[in-house]
Structures are given as structure tokens and as C-alpha cells.
Amino acid sequence: MRRIDPRLLLIAGAAFISVSAILFRLSGVSSGTAAFFRCALALPVLVPLALWERRRTGPRRRAGVDVIAGLLLGADFVLWGASIDGVGAGIATVLVNVQVAVVPLLAFAVFGERPSRAFAPAVPVLLAGVALAGGIAGHGTSGTDPVLGSLFGAGAGLAYGGYLFLTRLAGHGQEHRAQPVLLATLGAGAASLAIGGPWQGVDLAPGWPALGWLAVLAVTGQVCGWMLIGAALPRLGADVAGALLLLQPVLAVALGAVILGERPALAQLAGCGLVVTAIRLAGRGSVSPRDDSGMGPRARGDARTGERADRAEVP
């Protein structure tokens, strides 16, 4: 993958992830069932890849952080699936991208990384967009409960942001791709059982048609999507990566309309536009790519003094 333009890798990964909501709806199962099988059916692909990678590059350090990150990812899967039922596949994928605001806040709280100047003014725009997308100005026809669905989507975004933050922390200085996805998948599968089971139930025998859609979801969304995105992110600046990842919600809304016949209200579409705009502003330069010194503040140069901020060490 080193020979491929990382922008192409990220676009391909975002495209794979954007289909996840469509496949979940087509499977017709509960969010807990979809989250569990998304992880379980990915294991036959991930285990051989991780074993081959371990022989080539050695064992994964900070494996425990990957598993904890996976627990958050599992919570994201369950809440996101519930959001799809409430607000529709396309808009649910837009809402979960509020994680772009979560990651810089965690980086600031833990490592003192200051968000970009555009972050603060982007937050109210983001909240307004979430409210509109959630149906506060009138419900569309794409979901059963847009308001509740928007709350689930926001919760999924918080969990997703925590997953990305811990994955970024655990991946410092390491070249592994399959092992972190495998470990996170194990954690996500456990969380989907713990959360989705008591809440919505996990059907361990959903039937062959559903299993077929879930198998496609596991390969595309869980294996291909995360492997490609994980390979691209360390090689791209945060502003470029953030802009390209916005293809994910845009593609999800388009695919939801074309494949599932979802017809969001105009106010909800306007809310999606505000969310995408705010995400672009909030994510501009707010998180830096990893380097050899650790996950510290983004190197900032003052145009007049040329000073650079010190980088915080990873414990």
C-alpha cells in the first residue's frame, strides 16, 4: 500500500464505510445483531492477515488499548444501528461524524493539543445542523423517530470519537494494520453482545439472507474500510484527511436515496449540509498526523517568530 497515493486509499476506505448503513438496513436485523455479526464474520478474514503481519512485523504493542478502543467501537455500532432505524441510513451516517469535534477535545484535555481557531465557531453550526437533521423543523419520511434517532447518532459519534482517539494513541510508532483492526473487532464484538443483547437482543440465527448481507458488511465495512483508512491516515495531513472522509456521509445520503428510497425533508438535508460544513471547519488542522515524537500538539509555526509548540510525550 505504500506505493499507492494515500488519498486514493482514504477515498476507497470512506466508500466502503459509507455502504455499511445500506447493508444494515438490507439485512433487516436489530442493531445489536448487526454489530455482533459485523465483527464475528470479519474474524475469518482478519485472523490470517493478523498472523501473517505478526510474523512479518512482530507483535502489536499497546494491544490492550486497541481492545478498549474496540469496546467503544461496539457501542458506536449498536447506537448507530438504532440511529439508522430512527433517522434513516444517510442522515445517521452524517450524524455520527460529530466525532470530528470529539477527537480534538480529547486531544486537548489529555495532551494539551489546542484545536484550530476555526473549531470554536464551528461547534454551534454543528449543533444546529444536528438539530435540523434530527427533524426539529419537521420530520422526513426516512426514519421512524428522527429526534430519538439523532440522539442515538450523537451518542454513536461520541463513542466513535473515543475509538479514533485511542486508536491514534495505540498506533504511535507502529506499522501494523491488521492486528489493531482484529483486536478492536474482538472488543467491538464483546461490546455489541453486552449492550445490544439486553437492549434489542442479538439473534444468533438470523437466517441466510440476513447473514449474506451481514457477511458483505463485515468484509466491506469492518475489514476493507478500516484497513484502507488505517493505512492512509498516517501519510496524510489532518486537513486533507478530514476533507476526504467527508465523502462518507455524502455518499451514504446519496446511496440511501438511490438504493433504499429514503426521502429526507428539505430541512433535514439542510441540516446535513450544516453538519458537513461544520465538520470541515472543526477538522481543519485540529489533529495532526503521528510522527516519531508521539501524539503531541500539532506543530504550529508563528508567521512572525517561527516558533513551534513542544510535543507532548506518549506515556
Side-chain angles (χ1 to χ4, degrees), residues 153-290:
L158 292 174
Y160 184 35
Y163 163 75
L164 291 177
F165 176 78
L166 292 178
T167 298
R168 183 173 180 243
L169 172 63
H172 160 62
Q174 302 186 65
E175 294 298 326
H176 303 100
R177 296 291 175 263
Q179 292 182 69
V181 177
L182 172 61
L183 293 169
T185 298
L186 292 172
S192 66
L193 281 176
I195 300 173
W199 181 16
Q200 295 184 337
V202 174
D203 184 1
L204 298 180
W208 288 114
L211 283 175
W213 291 117
L214 294 172
V216 177
L217 171 60
V219 173
T220 56
Q222 193 64 23
V223 179
C224 296
W226 290 120
M227 292 277 289
L228 289 168
I229 291 174
L233 286 178
R235 299 165 57 192
L236 288 173
D239 53 347
V240 176
L244 293 177
L245 281 175
L246 290 182
L247 289 173
Q248 177 187 336
V250 172
L251 287 172
V253 171
L255 290 172
V258 172
I259 299 176
L260 299 179
E262 295 182 347
R263 295 295 182 266
L266 290 177
Q268 289 179 293
L269 290 175
C272 290
L274 284 177
V275 170
V276 170
T277 300
I279 288 170
R280 181 66 185 97
L281 292 174
R284 187 189 296 273
S286 60
V287 181
S288 64
R290 295 190 300 268

Side-chain angles (χ1 to χ4, degrees), residues 17-312:
I17 296 292
S18 69
V19 185
S20 298
I22 309 298
L23 295 171
F24 164 70
R25 289 293 292 270
L26 291 173
S27 71
V29 300
S30 70
S31 60
T33 300
F36 172 75
F37 277 101
R38 174 178 184 159
C39 299
L41 295 176
L43 295 180
V45 180
L46 288 172
V47 169
L49 289 174
L51 291 176
W52 173 80
E53 184 180 78
R54 182 183 175 91
R55 290 194 297 268
R56 187 174 61 90
T57 61
R60 170 80 169 173
R61 300 192 304 274
R62 303 192 188 101
V65 179
D66 289 321
V67 175
I68 295 173
L71 295 176
L72 291 174
L73 186 62
D76 163 46
F77 287 162
V78 176
L79 290 171
W80 177 64
S83 176
I84 292 172
D85 289 334
V87 80
I91 294 177
T93 306
V94 173
L95 293 175
V96 78
N97 277 272
V98 301
Q99 54 81 19
V100 174
V102 176
V103 176
L105 287 175
L106 287 174
F108 176 74
V110 178
F111 297 104
E113 291 189 39
R114 289 180 298 173
S116 66
R117 294 180 180 177
F119 178 76
V123 171
V125 179
L126 177 65
L127 295 176
V130 170
L132 285 174
I136 194 172
H139 293 178
T141 60
S142 58
T144 58
D145 191 338
V147 175
L148 187 60
S150 68
L151 294 176
F152 288 144
L158 292 174
Y160 184 35
Y163 163 75
L164 291 177
F165 176 78
L166 292 178
T167 298
R168 183 173 180 243
L169 172 63
H172 160 62
Q174 302 186 65
E175 294 298 326
H176 303 100
R177 296 291 175 263
Q179 292 182 69
V181 177
L182 172 61
L183 293 169
T185 298
L186 292 172
S192 66
L193 281 176
I195 300 173
W199 181 16
Q200 295 184 337
V202 174
D203 184 1
L204 298 180
W208 288 114
L211 283 175
W213 291 117
L214 294 172
V216 177
L217 171 60
V219 173
T220 56
Q222 193 64 23
V223 179
C224 296
W226 290 120
M227 292 277 289
L228 289 168
I229 291 174
L233 286 178
R235 299 165 57 192
L236 288 173
D239 53 347
V240 176
L244 293 177
L245 281 175
L246 290 182
L247 289 173
Q248 177 187 336
V250 172
L251 287 172
V253 171
L255 290 172
V258 172
I259 299 176
L260 299 179
E262 295 182 347
R263 295 295 182 266
L266 290 177
Q268 289 179 293
L269 290 175
C272 290
L274 284 177
V275 170
V276 170
T277 300
I279 288 170
R280 181 66 185 97
L281 292 174
R284 187 189 296 273
S286 60
V287 181
S288 64
R290 295 190 300 268
D291 63 13
D292 292 337
S293 64
M295 183 179 167
R298 183 174 68 91
R300 287 186 172 87
D302 187 287
R304 294 166 295 178
T305 65
E307 296 176 352
R308 297 170 68 87
D310 294 334
R311 295 184 182 272

